[in-house]
Amino acid sequence: MTYATAADYSWTHSPSSPFGHARGAGYSLVLVRGIGPEEVLRRAGAEPEGVRTGFDALVEEHVGLLDEYDGWPECTLAGAVAVPGEGGEWTLVLELGGDALGMSPRFMEAVSSGTRAVSHTGNSGKPIHLFHWYEDGALRTGFEYPAHCDGDTPDALNALITVVGLVPADDEAPGADRTAAFFALAEHLTGVRVTEELLAGAAYRTGLIPEEAYDEAGPGL
């Protein structure tokens, strides 16, 4: 059996990667099993914006949003697409220009009700990197650094954390590529392999998520 590791996602730090804009602007990536893109966006409180084909189109819309609001939008842009994974179809949601979607207990509880939802967020400016795994409306494991996990089963991912390239007892992870490691950890829990090609060519159903949707947002740690 082949296990995903941070090395499999080293492309997320490549200058030519379509993910470069998301990494620089701040992002939240959420994977939800068995709920379609339209419904996931609805539960996020998003205002529908139509379909954008290709990651470049998603980035273009995000840049336009920044220009419209002079760099401080009152909402964030999210694109959702159906992807294959463990146990059937999943929805991948990528939020640009913010890191709150996957950190919002209200949203993650809603989309994981009766199923599984996994998220990781990153913001190069702060910087911040968070991982959350929800099962049937409850946080199973959430952490910024592996040494400080929270949730109903805080130690449940320790073995996988080691496999992907992090150290469970590490509270600083010097030199660790946490973005890539979180992609790999999400793959272990969802069966979804996110690739450059997937992000570059997907037809994203988009929506604008207003600030008020994050009233109860927080790291859940």
Side-chain angles (χ1 to χ4, degrees):
M1 182 179 294
T2 302
Y3 294 99
T5 69
D8 294 306
Y9 288 94
S10 59
W11 58 264
T12 60
H13 284 273
S14 167
S16 62
S17 168
F19 193 71
H21 179 85
R23 191 180 63 249
Y27 80 93
S28 186
L29 190 149
V30 184
L31 292 162
V32 183
R33 183 174 57 200
I35 303 176
E38 287 185 354
E39 176 60 16
V40 172
L41 289 176
R42 187 193 69 78
R43 296 190 192 188
E47 178 183 337
E49 285 287 300
V51 175
R52 302 292 182 270
T53 300
F55 192 79
D56 286 346
L58 201 63
V59 169
E60 184 178 345
E61 182 162 344
H62 176 242
V63 171
L65 192 65
L66 293 176
D67 290 342
E68 180 182 348
Y69 285 95
D70 250 352
W72 294 97
E74 297 173 357
C75 54
T76 58
L77 175 68
V81 61
V83 293
E86 181 182 318
E89 195 168 82
W90 292 66
T91 288
L92 180 155
V93 186
L94 182 59
E95 176 194 25
L96 297 178
D99 51 21
L101 193 60
M103 295 164 57
S104 168
R106 180 173 60 180
F107 171 71
M108 292 297 290
E109 288 166 8
V111 294
S112 67
S113 179
T115 187
R116 173 177 290 184
V118 175
S119 72
H120 53 95
T121 66
N123 189 316
S124 60
K126 296 180 182 177
I128 188 171
H129 300 278
L130 297 168
F131 189 91
H132 294 90
W133 163 33
Y134 278 75
E135 202 84 30
D136 196 17
L139 176 65
R140 292 289 303 275
T141 308
F143 64 94
E144 180 174 9
Y145 294 101
H148 306 286
C149 293
D150 197 13
D152 293 342
T153 55
D155 300 323
L157 298 182
N158 282 357
L160 287 178
I161 285 170
T162 300
V163 167
V164 302
L166 297 177
V167 181
D170 198 341
D171 62 359
E172 290 298 333
D177 187 345
R178 284 194 289 156
T179 298
F182 284 179
F183 266 94
L185 189 56
E187 181 178 337
H188 282 279
L189 289 170
T190 65
V192 176
R193 169 60 65 97
V194 180
T195 64
E196 290 184 85
E197 293 75 19
L198 186 156
L199 294 182
Y204 298 92
R205 188 165 296 280
T206 63
L208 295 178
I209 305 174
E211 287 182 344
E212 54 264 29
Y214 301 134
D215 285 347
E216 297 177 17
L221 298 179

